Amino acid sequence: AGSVGVLVYLGGSLSRDFLGLWLPDQMSTAAGALKAVLPDLSALALKDAVVSHAAIPPEYLLFMTTYSVGWMGLTLILAYIAFQEVDL
């Protein structure tokens, strides 16, 4: 589970240009498609605003909460589908 988490984090945070530098064209296209499906974790980064003492708009906090809850819900639904027991 930890390895999958690291892969999702790296896949979601690396830029498409960076992936294109190190991967062949076919793999770069596949990595770009995978990046389009994975959550964009950079949307949750608040480090710059906190370090510069900038005010964080309430709309952004609402967006972050909705985005996080949406991805958690999707993950739970996919886990339920993958691990449900079906009697044959």
Side-chain angles (χ1 to χ4, degrees), residues 76-87:
L76 288 173
I77 290 170
L78 292 175
Y80 174 76
I81 291 170
F83 297 112
Q84 70 180 0
E85 294 182 30
V86 178
D87 293 334

Side-chain angles (χ1 to χ4, degrees), residues 4-88:
V4 172
V6 168
L7 290 175
V8 168
Y9 175 76
L10 289 176
S13 61
L14 293 176
S15 70
R16 184 172 291 175
D17 296 331
F18 182 77
L19 291 172
L21 285 174
W22 300 104
L23 297 174
D25 285 341
Q26 293 92 0
M27 295 235 358
S28 179
T29 304
L34 189 60
K35 183 171 175 45
V37 175
L38 292 176
D40 181 16
L41 299 176
S42 67
L44 304 175
L46 291 176
K47 180 177 67 174
D48 294 335
V50 170
V51 169
S52 63
H53 302 288
I56 300 169
E59 303 88 33
Y60 185 70
L61 294 175
L62 179 65
F63 163 75
M64 285 183 9
T65 303
T66 306
Y67 189 75
S68 299
V69 169
W71 274 105
M72 285 188 282
L74 180 65
T75 303
L76 288 173
I77 290 170
L78 292 175
Y80 174 76
I81 291 170
F83 297 112
Q84 70 180 0
E85 294 182 30
V86 178
D87 293 334
L88 298 176

